[in-house]
């Protein structure tokens, strides 16, 4: 049996972990061995890198940040993902190189192409068989995350603008590679989304 590499992408709060769990259970029910993993932080080295990129207080320069995500990716793909695929397993991964293009690119300092090239160098060219984009408009995403009477301020507005750019970048990536991407409306009911994902994965398993 050949391995299958599936990634999930989308903004914060779009429901990636729920859908990866449902997909994993469904595939396991069909007798497939599934490895659920994530970036950043899918390896012991990655856990250390994740702590820097997500929790370091103080500035991290854009190129340094991009290289940290790429270093996490290089270690993860080499030591965890490729071996699992070689064993014929299905790898279901929360976030991959499209997150780098969308998030690091949305900072406006680095270009999407150079970030993608850096990621592909780190991962020795590995692209997913399928990337599921859980698309959610930023107002709904914020509504899910926010306290209803939180005050609007400039920082919040900047954040909203950033998330709009991230979402637009994901949709552009999906439009550029329609064969690799499945775009689903993350505002739809959980079981409707899961069924759409299962239908697409079924075509890949044939
Ligand atoms: P995580 O806690 O995994 O959040 P989520 O539940 O939204 O997946 O945090 C991952 C954060 O890292 C998320 O805000 C996106 C960001 N990220 C990048 O900026 N670049 C990357 O290459 C990756 C993989 C993640």
């Amino acid at each position: 049996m050949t391995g299958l590499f599936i990634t999930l992408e989308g903004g914060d709060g779009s429901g990636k972990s729920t859908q990866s769990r449902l997909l994993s259970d469904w595939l396991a029910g069909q007798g497939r061995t599934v490895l659920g993993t994530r970036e950043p932080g899918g390896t012991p080295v990655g856990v250390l890198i994740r702590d820097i990129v997500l929790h370091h207080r103080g500035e991290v320069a854009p190129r340094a940040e991009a290289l940290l995500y790429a270093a996490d990716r290089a270690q993860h793909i080499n030591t965890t993902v490729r071996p699992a695929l070689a064993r014929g397993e299905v790898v279901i991964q929360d976030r991959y190189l499209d997150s780098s293009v969308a998030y690091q690119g949305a900072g406006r300092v680095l270009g999407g192409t150079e970030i993608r090239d850096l990621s592909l160098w780190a991962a020795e060219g590995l692209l997913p068989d399928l990337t599921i984009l859980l698309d959610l408009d930023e107002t709904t995403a914020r509504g899910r995350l926010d306290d209803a009477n939180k005050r609007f301020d400039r920082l919040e507005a900047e954040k909203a603008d950033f998330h709009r750019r991230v979402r637009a970048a994901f949709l552009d990536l999906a439009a550029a590679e329609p064969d690799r991407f499945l775009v689903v409306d993350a505002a739809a009911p959980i079981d409707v989304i899961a069924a759409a994902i299962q239908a697409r994965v079924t075509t890949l398993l044939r």
Side-chain angles (χ1 to χ4, degrees):
M1 216 180 277
T2 56
L4 198 61
F5 184 28
I6 301 172
T7 58
L8 287 103
E9 299 282 5
D12 307 346
S14 60
K16 292 189 304 301
S17 38
T18 302
Q19 290 302 330
S20 58
R21 186 171 39 76
L22 291 172
L23 179 59
S24 172
D25 291 349
W26 179 74
L27 284 163
Q30 301 188 22
R32 297 291 305 229
T33 303
V34 179
L35 172 71
T37 187
R38 69 167 177 184
E39 290 184 7
T43 63
V45 166
V47 169
L48 299 173
I49 297 173
R50 181 181 171 90
D51 193 42
I52 302 173
V53 285
L54 298 187
H55 304 303
H56 173 71
R57 291 174 184 276
E59 203 201 336
V60 178
R63 280 166 197 271
E65 185 188 65
L67 285 164
L68 284 165
Y69 281 111
D72 168 74
R73 186 156 299 140
Q75 179 74 6
H76 185 224
I77 295 302
N78 181 267
T79 67
T80 303
V81 175
R82 281 195 193 270
L85 294 173
R87 291 192 298 268
E89 298 177 8
V90 180
V91 176
I92 301 178
Q93 181 171 319
D94 200 335
R95 298 193 182 281
Y96 189 45
L97 85 174
D98 302 298
S99 273
S100 282
V101 177
Y103 282 86
Q104 276 63 65
R108 290 203 177 117
V109 179
L110 304 172
T113 309
E114 59 184 337
I115 295 166
R116 182 186 163 90
D117 288 349
L118 176 68
S119 275
L120 284 173
W121 178 81
E124 296 179 85
L126 184 68
L127 279 172
D129 298 295
L130 172 65
T131 298
I132 299 154
L133 173 58
L134 292 160
D135 178 53
L136 195 61
D137 78 81
E138 57 288 339
T139 325
T140 313
R142 277 170 54 84
R144 282 188 186 180
L145 298 170
D146 278 1
D147 171 7
N149 51 22
K150 196 168 165 186
R151 269 182 41 231
F152 179 88
D153 61 29
R154 200 173 52 79
L155 196 70
E156 288 301 313
E158 272 174 21
K159 272 199 232 157
D161 188 47
F162 179 81
H163 288 298
R164 249 191 303 279
R165 289 203 299 277
V166 168
R167 182 193 184 204
F170 274 131
L171 289 171
D172 285 349
L173 287 165
E177 287 179 79
D179 291 345
R180 172 161 73 89
F181 274 87
L182 170 70
V183 182
V184 292
D185 176 7
I190 287 174
D191 55 331
V192 171
I193 298 173
I197 292 172
Q198 289 166 15
R200 179 68 173 257
V201 172
T202 299
T203 67
L204 288 174
L205 291 172
R206 277 202 198 107

